[in-house]
Amino acid sequence: MKIALMDSGIGLLAAAAAVRRMRPDADLVLSSDPGSMPWGPRTPEDVTRRALSVAQAAAAHRPDALIIACNTASVHALPTLRAELEPGLPVIGTVPAIKPAAAGGGPFAIWATPATTGSPYQRGLIGEFARAVDVTEVPCPGLADAVEHADEEAIDRAVDAAAALTPAGVTDVVLGCTHYELVAERIRAAVERDRPGRPPLVLHGSAEAVAAQALRRIGAVPAPSAEPVGTLTVLLGGQTADLTEPALAYAEGLLLKAVTPVI
């Protein structure tokens, strides 16, 4: 079994780690193009062109499924990637976890890139799943870039700025960018710092859901006790490489580093 994941940068680590935990025996292919980061401010046409290139690099390794571990690419490029690669290669997009957050019934916030915040795509999901719930859209300028470079000070500044825009009464926060899942606990701490005495904040990421969906699409089931023999292939701009140094600043990257790379 081989699962490929694609993103502009290291935002794919969270979903890759989720796949690794579910199926330690699965081979992983991580395809990204950090030199083109960030994708958020680019035009939809440019995002689609870049996403297709990154996806094709992954597809050349003949995976059984491809996860688009990027909200921006899923918004703009999913139809094109599916038209290009399916039915031979199942393509799984990433959708912000607005539906499960709304199911709780309490007010919640959506942290996302400035380009996604207020977009017709995000507003459509809110209208479909959270019409009866109080939702606050919180733009997080610079946070994805800071996470990509493991810039601790910049992460703190961006997280603190977004936390200041998050109403104290929210019960849940949706992480609307895959990069944010790598600093989820820092986000939780920043929001909870300004709401002492309230119940613990519930965070909603997408990594576990997309990993599970990829397995379903290929008729596989989670087997966390499987022999940990899965290999790892890292592609940067289509070229075989090692995990980047910033990737190893996160628990997800360290988990994947324990796997023997394919050269």
Side-chain angles (χ1 to χ4, degrees), residues 47-238:
V47 170
T48 298
R49 179 177 62 82
R50 293 175 185 277
L52 183 58
S53 176
V54 173
Q56 288 171 331
H61 288 255
R62 303 180 64 84
D64 298 300
L66 171 66
I67 295 172
I68 308 177
C70 174
N71 294 88
T72 299
S74 296
V75 169
H76 297 304
L78 181 57
T80 297
L81 296 186
R82 283 182 167 161
E84 177 77 15
L85 300 172
E86 290 188 339
L89 176 60
V91 178
I92 297 90
T94 297
V95 177
I98 292 173
K99 184 177 181 179
F108 68 90
I110 306 169
W111 285 32
T113 63
T116 299
T117 300
S119 67
Y121 168 74
Q122 183 161 291
R123 291 283 169 84
L125 291 173
I126 294 170
E128 182 176 0
F129 299 117
R131 189 173 302 170
V133 183
D134 185 9
V135 180
T136 301
E137 297 178 273
V138 177
C140 305
L143 181 53
D145 278 347
V147 172
E148 178 71 23
H149 297 98
D151 184 331
E152 299 292 326
E153 293 184 359
I155 291 171
D156 285 342
R157 287 195 301 270
V159 167
D160 287 346
L165 298 175
T166 303
V170 300
T171 59
D172 304 61
V173 169
V174 174
L175 303 179
C177 171
T178 55
H179 279 75
Y180 302 172
E181 296 191 48
L182 300 178
V183 291
E185 291 310 311
R186 294 170 74 165
I187 291 172
R188 185 196 307 279
V191 176
E192 289 187 341
R193 186 171 59 236
D194 297 326
R195 37 180 278 158
R198 294 186 59 84
L201 184 73
V202 179
L203 296 181
H204 297 270
S206 302
E208 299 290 332
V210 296
Q213 176 65 4
L215 294 182
R216 283 193 292 269
R217 287 288 302 273
I218 62 175
V221 297
S225 61
E227 188 72 17
V229 294
T231 59
L232 179 69
T233 301
V234 177
L235 304 172
L236 300 181

